[in-house]
Amino acid sequence: MSSSEPAPIASGDIPARGDHPVRADARRNREHLVAAARAAFAAAEGPVPLEVIARKAGVGIGTLYRRFPTREALVEAVYAAELDDVATSAPVLLAEFPPEVALRAWMDRYAAFVSTKRGMLDTLRAGWASGRIATPATRQRITEAIGMILAEGARVGSLRSDVDPEDVTAMLLGVFFSTAAGNTPQQTSRLLDLVLDALLPKDEQANNSA
């Protein structure tokens, strides 16, 4: 049994009332650790010591290891949380903004995800290769989010209707790969503006260049 799993309750035992706050504390500790790791990985150029993450989360290193017995377990949890946020942010942004504005905001969210991923890339690659970390359907989920926004933009006429979402994914990956070494957010932002411009209807492009 993993050390992060609670011990089974014997037959006839009744959990004490005090168990509930303990479980709530454990859940909060896990959330704090994932949040601290996300911030640390996004800011780092290379591997981040787990002691640093525990300190940023306000817990001891023993608490970190109880929640995440290995570095791979923590990295997998952070990656999954980041990917979920990126994928689920598409409908949220569409509910708040016009499709073209939502798409540009979503691109920034995707860029932040890529930045976080860089800080844990070595662990991810090793974990995927060894099977210790499950290979996620990242590209599929990213492309589905893009497709959702493009479809709504095409419906209202603010984005082109002749674009394959997979092509947009490829364009965005090209932007992120080409700017990774320089770590220049300003250039990344300019390139994302160009990607969005290419996705506007031709009459809208003409208006923007006038």
Side-chain angles (χ1 to χ4, degrees), residues 169-183:
T169 300
M171 291 169 69
L172 293 175
L173 290 174
V175 169
F176 300 138
F177 288 152
S178 66
T179 57
N183 192 22

Side-chain angles (χ1 to χ4, degrees), residues 162-174:
D162 59 342
V163 176
D164 187 332
E166 180 63 38
D167 291 343
V168 180
T169 300
M171 291 169 69
L172 293 175
L173 290 174

Side-chain angles (χ1 to χ4, degrees), residues 5-152:
E5 296 177 353
I9 299 173
S11 176
D13 287 349
I14 300 176
R17 289 182 180 273
D19 289 346
H20 296 286
V22 172
R23 287 198 294 270
D25 287 345
R27 185 170 58 251
R28 282 195 296 270
N29 285 340
R30 189 183 194 281
E31 292 170 353
H32 290 162
L33 284 164
V34 171
R38 290 169 81 169
F41 290 143
E45 293 294 330
V48 180
L50 296 183
E51 292 80 2
V52 171
I53 293 172
R55 186 165 62 249
K56 289 181 178 295
V59 302
I61 189 66
T63 298
L64 185 151
Y65 279 115
R66 281 195 294 275
R67 305 277 73 78
F68 303 102
T70 64
R71 174 179 288 271
E72 288 87 353
L74 176 59
V75 165
E76 185 173 24
V78 171
Y79 189 90
E82 281 285 298
L83 181 57
D84 282 345
D85 278 359
V86 174
T88 58
S89 65
V92 175
L93 290 168
L94 276 174
E96 187 174 355
F97 302 111
E100 70 280 10
V101 178
L103 180 58
R104 185 61 184 84
W106 183 87
M107 289 179 186
D108 283 336
R109 182 64 192 85
Y110 185 23
F113 166 69
V114 173
S115 294
T116 302
K117 181 179 171 182
R118 287 175 188 150
M120 50 186 177
L121 194 55
D122 289 344
T123 303
L124 283 170
R125 284 173 174 166
W128 290 335
S130 67
R132 290 193 300 269
I133 299 179
T135 304
T138 304
R139 187 158 183 150
Q140 176 185 341
R141 296 188 67 186
I142 292 298
T143 302
E144 288 173 353
I146 292 170
M148 176 187 299
I149 302 176
L150 287 177
E152 180 61 17

